[in-house]
Structure formats: C-alpha cells, structure tokens
Amino acid sequence: MENVLITGTTSGIGKAFAEKFASMGNNIILVSRDMQKLKQQQLYLQNQYHVTVNLIAYDLTKEDAADLIMEQIGNWNIPIDFLVNNAGFNECGLFSQTDISKEIKMIDLHIRFITQLTKRILSIMEKNNYGHILNIGSTGSFIPSPSDAVYSATKAYIMSFSNALYGEYRNTRIKITLLCPGATETEFARKANIEQTLLFKYAVMKPDKVVKIAYPKIIKGKRFIIPGIYNKLLVFFSKIMPIDITNKLTMIMMNSH
Ligand SMILES: NC(=O)c1ccc[n+]([C@@H]2O[C@H](COP(=O)([O-])OP(=O)(O)OC[C@H]3O[C@@H](n4cnc5c(N)ncnc54)[C@H](OP(=O)(O)O)[C@@H]3O)[C@@H](O)[C@H]2O)c1
C-alpha cells in the first residue's frame, strides 16, 4: 500500500487513475478545484475500495499552490510514494486569437506548478530512497501544433523535463514515467471547444482504456508510454515527416468539420 497524490481527479484521465490506484489498495490524495466533486469522489473510493482518501481543493495555477500542498501533506504526515502530475487544460486556436490570460495560466499549471511540486516531492522521495513520479504529457509533446501552439509547447516541456529526470534517477529507487495520451474522451475537448475537430472525431480513446494500457507499464517503471497503436503511429510519422507537412496535417486535424 502506497500514498498516491494525483492532481486533476474530478474527471477524465485523473479520475480513472484515482480509481485504478484505489482499486490496487493505495491511499489517495485527490487534488482539484471543485470541493463538492472531490467529496463525492472521496465517498465513492472509500466505500468501494476501503482505502483512505484525503482531499485538497485548490487552483493549481496559483503561485502558492505547491507550498499549500506541501504544508497540507506535512500536517497530515503523509509521506508521498507516488505523484501523478495530471491536472491540465487547453486553450486552443490560432495564436493571434487565443486568450493570453488562459495561456499564461496553462504555462503556470503545466510548467511552473509541476516543476515546483516535483522538486518538493522528490526531496521527500530522496529521503525515503523510494518513489515514482508519473507526468502526463500528450502526443502534442512530440508535435509542435499550429492552432494549439502554447499547449503543445507546454507538453513538450513536460516531456523534456520528465525524460531528463529519468536520466538523473535511473540508477536509484525513484522512477520517472511520462505518459503521452492522444485524443481521449474526457471533459478536456469540451472545455477547450474542440469536440468538433477531426482530432476528436476519430480514434478517441476512453480514459479507462488509457489507464488500463498504461498502468502495468507504469508499475514496471517504463520511461515513456504512448497508449494505442494510432497514437504511436501519429508520433512515429510526426518524427519522420518534414515540419511543413506535420504543420499542415495538424492544422487540418484541429479544424472543425
Ligand atoms: N483528453 C485528451 O484528449 C488529452 C490528450 C492528451 C493529454 N491530455 C492531458 O491529460 C491530463 C488530464 O486531462 P483530461 O483529458 O482528463 O481533462 P479533464 O477531464 O478536463 O480533467 C482535467 C482535470 O484537471 C483539473 N484541473 C484543471 N485545471 C485545474 C486547476 N487550475 N487547478 C486544479 N485542478 C485543475 C480538473 O478539475 P477541476 O476543474 O475540478 O479543478 C479536472 O479534474 C491533462 O494534463 C491533459 O493535458 C488529455
């Protein structure tokens, strides 16, 4: 039994991970903004799996979010064995037309917050000489995306950050894994108003399936995971195709049909 801290658990991939980790008998700390949804999730997981579930409701784009989480887990005296950096969102569209305040919040959440929290949690893991961090990237981590420029750039940061940490900890008992899902049927596309794009019309995976594929690989300590053959092919071809072609194809995928 481990203590698992997961960000962004009230829907989608984070919710599916919370259920998976709880079903394996782990105690969970759920972190998201919506306290009402968190309480419902806590009741469900505790009743269903008889594990301890603690809650932190906070906006992780706030500057003091990592401090607040560390203070809370310190007060509870819970040593974190597993961190899932999952919370995220998208502000999509041509860069000249997107909302810069949302993009800055995205950079705050996907880059600044993850960096701060990971550093603080790693210091606990180093003391215990044990731990695992799972970072949620995206197929967009590999593909600079016209019509989604800032999102894909933040996910490229997460990939680079995660792979570099993997190198730093590879001969220790601390594991670092990067999971790069493609289009997944969660609240993500609806919130970003991209449900009608080609990307979200075909080969969309259910979050439970993402977790089902990824979980055994995560536990083995794999460096990175791309769930599903379609997503693997997407990444493969994006690596071998000239940028002009991937740019054009990405524009088509991000357009509404
Ligand atoms: N869905 C996809 O197609 C897809 C593809 C590749 C990668 N991903 C990545 O997968 C991760 C999970 O996304 P999802 O698809 O599961 O989306 P989702 O259903 O919208 O879930 C996002 C979760 O993050 C939380 N969250 C968002 N902003 C937050 C903030 N400022 N502070 C605290 N919590 C916040 C939300 O909770 P509250 O709103 O209750 O706070 C929610 O629980 C993200 O990192 C996303 O980039 C998704």
Side-chain angles (χ1 to χ4, degrees):
M1 182 187 59
E2 298 195 332
N3 297 304
V4 184
L5 189 151
I6 310 174
T7 66
T9 58
T10 51
S11 66
I13 295 169
K15 188 175 184 183
F17 267 120
E19 173 130 26
K20 181 68 192 175
F21 277 105
S23 75
M24 301 307 287
N26 299 293
N27 295 325
I28 316 284
I29 299 171
L30 305 170
V31 188
S32 300
R33 286 167 297 191
D34 189 327
M35 185 47 117
Q36 222 178 334
K37 281 191 194 163
L38 284 173
K39 280 186 175 162
Q40 284 167 5
Q41 202 180 1
Q42 179 187 42
L43 256 183
Y44 168 75
L45 293 175
Q46 288 187 160
N47 290 340
Q48 190 76 13
Y49 301 111
H50 311 291
V51 294
T52 303
V53 178
N54 284 290
L55 309 178
I56 300 176
Y58 207 63
D59 181 347
L60 303 176
T61 64
K62 290 194 176 166
E63 220 173 309
D64 61 349
D67 290 340
L68 181 125
I69 290 174
M70 295 311 292
E71 196 185 317
Q72 188 60 267
I73 60 177
N75 290 342
W76 287 328
N77 197 19
I78 301 178
I80 302 298
D81 305 296
F82 209 118
L83 166 65
V84 183
N85 280 320
N86 166 77
F89 68 98
N90 198 348
E91 165 65 359
C92 204
L94 294 176
F95 185 62
S96 59
Q97 291 165 17
T98 44
D99 180 340
I100 186 67
S101 64
K102 285 188 187 161
E103 285 168 334
I104 297 298
K105 278 185 188 292
M106 196 161 47
I107 292 168
D108 280 339
L109 179 57
H110 296 184
I111 299 182
R112 183 182 49 72
F113 168 73
I114 286 180
T115 309
Q116 288 173 328
L117 185 66
T118 300
K119 190 180 278 287
R120 304 280 295 272
I121 295 285
L122 273 171
S123 73
I124 299 176
M125 291 179 174
E126 281 182 11
K127 273 189 208 130
N128 299 338
N129 188 29
Y130 180 76
H132 198 149
I133 295 180
L134 170 64
N135 295 309
I136 310 300
S138 161
T139 47
S141 300
F142 298 86
I143 309 168
S145 309
S147 286
D148 211 7
V150 177
Y151 177 77
S152 60
T154 63
K155 290 293 177 178
Y157 174 90
I158 292 174
M159 176 166 75
S160 174
F161 177 59
S162 194
N163 284 337
L165 291 185
Y166 177 89
E168 290 186 18
Y169 287 95
R170 68 175 304 152
N171 294 319
T172 72
R173 292 182 68 234
I174 296 170
K175 296 176 198 160
I176 312 283
T177 299
L178 171 71
L179 171 63
C180 291
T184 311
E185 200 181 304
T186 67
E187 293 296 306
F188 177 87
R190 188 189 54 77
K191 289 178 197 163
N193 201 18
I194 51 174
E195 276 174 308
Q196 298 310 316
T197 58
L198 265 187
L199 181 67
F200 279 89
K201 280 208 161 164
Y202 303 104
V204 182
M205 208 178 255
K206 300 236 183 259
D208 292 349
K209 178 123 188 249
V210 172
V211 171
K212 191 177 175 196
I213 294 172
Y215 189 81
K217 298 181 172 143
I218 294 165
I219 297 308
K220 280 187 191 151
K222 275 200 79 172
R223 176 175 65 82
F224 88 99
I225 301 154
I226 301 172
I229 187 74
Y230 173 81
N231 294 323
K232 283 192 179 75
L233 286 174
L234 201 68
V235 168
F236 173 76
F237 284 111
S238 76
K239 281 181 173 172
I240 59 168
M241 279 192 296
I243 188 87
D244 277 349
I245 296 181
T246 48
N247 272 353
K248 277 188 192 137
L249 291 176
T250 309
M251 279 292 249
I252 293 169
M253 300 285 280
M254 297 307 292
N255 269 330
S256 299
H257 284 269

